[in-house]
Amino acid sequence: GDTSTEAETTVLSDNVPDLDFGGAEFRTIEQSSTKYSFYSAEATGDIISDTIYERNRKIEERFNVTFAPTISEWYTDISSHVKQSVMAGADDYDLVFGQIFDTSTLAMNGMCLNWNILPHMDLTKPWYTANIQKASIGDKLFMIESDLSTSYTDQTWMIVYNQTKAEQYQNFPDLYSLVREGKWTIDKMSELIADKYQDLNGDSERNEGDFFGMIANQDGCQLAAFVYGSDVRLAAIEDDMTVSNPIGEEKSINAIMKLHDLFNVNPGSVSKMTDKKIKTEFTTAKKFFVDGSVLFAPVQVSTLMSEEFRSFEDHYGVLPIPKYDEEQERYYSFSSVYSGGIMMVPKTADNLERTAVVLTALASGSEDVYKAYYEGALKGKVARDEGASDMIDILLSTRCYDWGEFLAIGGFPGEFVNLTLKGNKNVSTLYAKYESKMLSDLEKINSLFGE
């Protein structure tokens, strides 16, 4: 079909009246780590930047606004500037695209406006990320996600596996079929990596130069991805709008013990506990994978778009994070709270109508940007076979969000998960030791959000 009319319909279906803002500047600030989002100074020939540039020009014309160049800063600097600005009662930014975890800290300190009070905004529209509604406490919603954000996709966790190597094993299953049948579980993954270690360099030591079944960083948001993938939550919002602690439930403890074994006990895994000669840093999984030294590795979507992956010789497949067991209803994938971007409006922002109108037009008009990113940049470069394309659809459509994730990862529930998966064997004992600390952290959240 004719894409130009499609794009026009998208813009017109946003239900926003054509208002004239008299040439006012629309001021944005975002993380310097974000490759694409609000602003593009000129057409450069990069398909995504150019689509952003075109979208913005249409909006500037339609509402008589000017997009000020986006201020780009390290995420902790964004938080401190927003905080200073709000404390001073200043109106410096119309829209802030901060790092998720830091932004939740701003929300907890009363620095963010409640999105539900902005005019002309219908958060049920398809360009807003639907599961973000779960991040509201009562009628308070301080952070939202939309098609405006490519970082929400960039930062989504998944598993890559080396198909070229997998073909060399006898009776290696068709993993895409397993995923589709709902049988891609932690147990299945554990079984497939258990016998894959090989002392390739023949020095009788487990070290770099050998071949492993899996390598994981065992820290931060990568751990959280496996925990969320098992349908375990760090905190839950109850019907009375209080935040509770589901980490101590039997299923949660069992899932964390299963993950502990996958990371630390399985002989095919690189483990922080036993393989001290191998630095399991954030980038190690990518390095091992492109060196052909590992069968499975958890990575983020953005990794697939890196130069190393584009020039990688072996064929590789893409899988969602495994389920806890086959009974689990669906896969859950997770977009990093440490690097993903999310939108908030500072409490002192003055022209809320302008913010709401321009954001709605930006989000609804981002369909073409998302298409360029998703179809062209991501799928075109990554999906070397039909199945990988399906898997990307599965992992992007199963992302989960909730307040517990934002608030509890930085508090003790998140720290508890880190401690257990870094090698503390007795999860129940550890839970008993830290329970009161977790509950007091959740109590703080409850007092902040209580009416």
Side-chain angles (χ1 to χ4, degrees):
D2 176 0
T3 49
S4 60
T5 55
E6 270 179 40
E8 214 170 326
T9 325
T10 309
V11 171
L12 295 176
S13 68
D14 59 22
N15 297 337
V16 169
D18 281 329
L19 298 165
D20 185 324
F21 293 112
E25 275 198 321
F26 191 80
R27 302 146 310 154
T28 53
I29 183 169
E30 72 176 1
Q31 300 182 77
S32 49
S33 57
T34 307
K35 193 173 178 197
Y36 299 112
S37 64
F38 288 139
Y39 182 76
S40 184
E42 56 189 6
T44 60
D46 174 277
I47 180 167
I48 302 172
S49 291
D50 289 0
T51 316
I52 289 170
Y53 178 71
E54 286 304 319
R55 176 198 68 195
N56 290 4
R57 283 191 54 222
K58 281 181 192 160
I59 292 169
E60 286 181 328
E61 223 168 276
R62 182 179 167 194
F63 299 111
N64 191 9
V65 288
T66 308
F67 284 107
T70 290
I71 298 166
S72 179
E73 292 191 331
W74 190 242
Y75 66 87
T76 46
D77 296 336
I78 291 179
S79 306
S80 59
H81 288 159
V82 169
K83 199 171 179 180
Q84 285 162 2
S85 174
V86 171
M87 302 289 270
D91 173 18
D92 295 321
Y93 316 105
D94 296 297
L95 192 56
V96 175
F97 221 150
Q99 181 246 34
I100 296 174
F101 175 59
D102 259 41
T103 305
S104 75
T105 309
L106 288 174
M108 286 178 67
N109 289 319
M111 303 282 157
C112 306
L113 211 62
N114 180 1
W115 280 104
N116 288 319
I117 68 166
L118 269 72
H120 310 298
M121 282 196 64
D122 179 357
L123 294 171
T124 63
K125 288 286 188 191
W127 46 82
Y128 294 112
T129 307
N131 58 11
I132 198 66
Q133 310 300 351
K134 297 193 178 81
S136 61
I137 293 189
D139 64 354
K140 294 175 184 171
L141 182 63
F142 297 106
M143 307 185 275
I144 63 169
E145 201 67 91
S146 78
D147 286 353
L148 187 54
S149 168
T150 52
S151 74
Y152 180 50
T153 300
D154 263 351
Q155 304 299 329
T156 303
W157 282 97
M158 66 186 156
I159 309 282
V160 284
Y161 78 103
N162 188 319
Q163 286 174 326
T164 306
K165 295 274 192 292
E167 279 158 18
Q168 295 163 13
Y169 300 113
Q170 279 190 317
N171 306 322
F172 197 86
D174 174 351
L175 295 185
Y176 291 167
S177 297
L178 273 183
V179 170
R180 291 189 192 103
E181 291 160 14
K183 293 177 177 172
W184 173 237
T185 61
I186 298 169
D187 288 348
K188 191 72 202 169
M189 188 173 180
S190 299
E191 178 195 312
L192 289 173
I193 65 180
D195 59 352
K196 299 300 184 287
Y197 171 74
Q198 285 172 281
D199 180 16
L200 284 188
N201 56 18
D203 63 1
S204 305
E205 277 200 343
R206 288 166 61 99
N207 53 22
E208 233 170 292
D210 291 345
F211 186 83
F212 293 87
M214 181 182 90
I215 180 161
N217 171 44
Q218 284 170 265
D219 216 344
C221 58
Q222 189 183 88
L223 285 187
F226 279 88
V227 172
Y228 274 82
S230 303
D231 195 18
V232 169
R233 299 292 174 261
L234 303 187
I237 298 185
E238 303 299 333
D239 292 341
D240 64 357
M241 294 304 147
T242 56
V243 179
S244 70
N245 183 35
I247 277 281
E249 291 166 8
E250 192 183 354
K251 149 83 197 284
S252 306
I253 298 282
N254 289 345
I256 291 167
M257 283 168 77
K258 240 184 216 208
L259 291 171
H260 173 276
D261 289 352
L262 174 72
F263 292 128
N264 299 307
V265 180
N266 193 305
S269 288
V270 172
S271 163
K272 267 190 179 172
M273 283 173 21
T274 52
D275 301 320
K276 303 238 188 292
K277 289 192 165 67
I278 297 171
K279 281 197 173 115
T280 51
E281 291 161 348
F282 195 68
T283 51
T284 316
K286 176 162 93 173
K287 182 186 179 305
F288 266 61
F289 195 77
V290 296
D291 286 350
S293 305
V294 70
L295 186 59
F296 290 101
V299 298
Q300 288 170 295
V301 166
S302 56
T303 308
L304 301 185
M305 295 168 80
S306 66
E307 282 313 312
E308 298 95 318
F309 261 70
R310 288 178 187 183
S311 54
F312 183 47
E313 292 295 309
D314 289 355
H315 278 272
Y316 66 90
V318 176
L319 304 162
I321 299 290
K323 299 198 293 190
Y324 170 70
D325 59 18
E326 288 183 29
E327 274 64 70
Q328 186 175 310
E329 212 169 295
R330 48 169 274 207
Y331 298 98
Y332 287 98
S333 50
F334 172 85
S335 188
S336 166
V337 295
Y338 292 105
S339 39
I342 202 155
M343 294 182 289
M344 59 80 77
V345 178
K347 205 175 183 173
T348 45
D350 200 30
N351 197 321
L352 300 189
E353 182 166 60
R354 185 175 66 221
T355 297
V357 162
V358 173
L359 171 63
T360 300
L362 277 167
S364 67
S366 291
E367 189 182 42
D368 291 348
V369 178
Y370 197 71
K371 230 179 250 172
Y373 173 88
Y374 185 57
E375 297 296 337
L378 176 58
K379 283 192 169 182
K381 293 187 175 76
V382 173
R384 300 181 189 186
D385 60 79
E386 199 51 44
S389 191
D390 284 0
M391 295 299 121
I392 288 169
D393 286 338
I394 288 172
L395 65 98
L396 292 181
S397 64
T398 55
R399 285 174 291 186
C400 58
Y401 250 147
D402 68 339
W403 260 107
E405 170 191 318
F406 302 145
L407 305 173
I409 278 187
F412 226 82
E415 201 42 49
F416 165 72
V417 171
N418 276 350
L419 285 168
T420 52
L421 297 189
K422 281 176 186 168
N424 289 277
K425 289 186 192 65
N426 197 324
V427 180
S428 304
T429 310
L430 196 73
Y431 178 79
K433 181 179 173 185
Y434 288 115
E435 184 180 39
S436 63
K437 179 86 185 83
M438 285 189 237
L439 295 173
S440 76
D441 271 16
L442 295 175
E443 199 41 60
K444 277 181 213 156
I445 297 170
N446 284 325
S447 62
L448 275 161
F449 287 100
E451 283 301 325

